[in-house]
């Protein structure tokens, strides 16, 4: 069985430590756990390794957040990965900082990366793992907040949260979406 875990983010040094790039950070932790380094490839950086006998591809699209769907579709087709074996890791303003929420399907909730993936794949029926970044910004400052760096308080627990999200992602591969939701949601 093959799986595709996609961490959403934006390429470029200026985005590396921003809230919007948490998907990249989780993807990097998964690749580190599997001892599977990233390589430059079509539509981004790809890593592939094994987890409990299952082949896992980890993708960081280089298409910028709002065009992530092309990268997801390309790697699904190239590696013949079924939709039910795809997990998208992304940030979520509606959740308190560090909150983990996995769903089997759902709306884009205003997230442009998810919106583009849904448009390209023509479905909302794919698993997504949302990392809460909270909504601690003034009216009209959403873009600055999302593209801003983690504050001092968030940085204290950020690495622990990233590790938990990497574990949840690998649980998706081995235990499936329902068991993973039951084990990890809300933590």
């Amino acid at each position: 069985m093959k799986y595709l875990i996609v961490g959403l983010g934006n390429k470029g040094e200026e985005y590396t430590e921003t809230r919007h790039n948490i998907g990249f950070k989780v993807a990097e932790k998964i690749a580190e756990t599997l001892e599977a380094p990233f390589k430059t490839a079509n539509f981004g950086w790809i890593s592939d390794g094994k987890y409990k006998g299952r082949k896992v591809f980890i993708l960081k699209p280089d298409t910028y957040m709002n065009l992530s769907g092309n990268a997801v579709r390309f790697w699904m087709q190239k590696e013949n990965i079924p939709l039910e074996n795809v997990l998208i890791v992304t940030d979520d303003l509606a959740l308190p900082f560090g909150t983990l929420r996995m769903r089997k399907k759902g709306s884009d909730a205003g997230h442009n990366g998810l919106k583009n993936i849904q448009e390209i794949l023509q479905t909302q029926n794919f698993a997504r793992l949302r990392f809460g970044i909270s909504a601690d910004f003034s009216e009209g400052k959403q873009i600055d907040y999302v593209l801003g760096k983690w504050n001092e308080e968030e940085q204290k627990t950020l690495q622990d949260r990233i590790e938990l999200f990497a574990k949840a992602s690998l649980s998706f591969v081995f235990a499936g979406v329902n068991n993973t939701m039951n084990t990890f949601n809300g933590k």
Side-chain angles (χ1 to χ4, degrees):
M1 280 193 165
K2 292 181 182 177
Y3 291 81
L4 177 63
I5 300 172
V6 182
L8 297 186
N10 287 312
K11 65 181 177 180
E13 195 63 37
E14 68 271 28
Y15 298 111
T16 301
E17 300 300 326
T18 65
R19 292 178 181 91
H20 216 29
N21 267 36
I22 193 61
F24 276 16
K25 293 294 185 187
V26 173
E28 290 162 4
K29 186 63 182 175
I30 296 165
E32 178 187 311
T33 301
L34 299 181
E35 297 179 358
F38 281 97
K39 303 173 282 271
T40 302
N42 290 330
F43 291 103
W45 301 274
I46 194 83
S47 166
D48 64 277
K50 291 249 185 198
Y51 183 71
K52 297 191 177 186
R54 295 167 189 205
K55 183 80 168 176
V56 181
F57 291 88
I58 305 140
L59 174 64
K60 297 189 311 181
D62 69 358
T63 55
Y64 289 104
M65 183 75 74
N66 299 353
L67 299 173
S68 301
N70 291 321
V72 174
R73 179 177 58 193
F74 175 84
W75 285 99
M76 284 177 67
Q77 291 174 345
K78 180 177 184 347
E79 296 299 332
N80 197 26
I81 299 171
L83 189 61
E84 62 268 15
N85 289 2
V86 174
L87 176 65
I88 309 297
V89 182
T90 188
D91 59 301
D92 191 323
L93 283 166
L95 297 172
F97 168 75
T99 300
L100 183 153
R101 180 168 298 151
M102 181 177 283
R103 293 284 186 256
K104 290 188 235 188
K105 60 183 181 179
S107 75
D108 58 57
H111 192 286
N112 290 329
L114 289 175
K115 186 180 298 185
N116 183 254
I117 293 167
Q118 288 176 185
E119 287 172 4
I120 298 292
L121 299 183
Q122 295 291 294
T123 185
Q124 295 180 345
N125 297 333
F126 55 86
R128 69 269 328 267
L129 179 58
R130 296 177 186 255
F131 188 109
I133 63 170
S134 78
D136 190 19
F137 55 89
S138 306
E139 188 175 337
K141 297 291 185 185
Q142 178 175 334
I143 292 172
D144 294 336
Y145 179 77
V146 169
L147 295 178
K149 297 191 183 321
W150 302 100
N151 67 38
E152 196 174 309
E153 192 63 31
E154 292 166 334
Q155 287 180 14
K156 290 177 184 175
T157 58
L158 186 60
Q159 288 310 311
D160 290 339
R161 302 311 299 162
I162 290 170
E163 286 181 27
L164 180 68
F165 275 74
K167 286 179 185 170
S169 298
L170 291 172
S171 173
F172 167 82
V173 169
F174 186 71
V177 68
N178 288 329
N179 288 333
T180 302
M181 286 176 5
N182 290 338
T183 303
F184 288 92
N185 272 357
K187 292 192 175 182

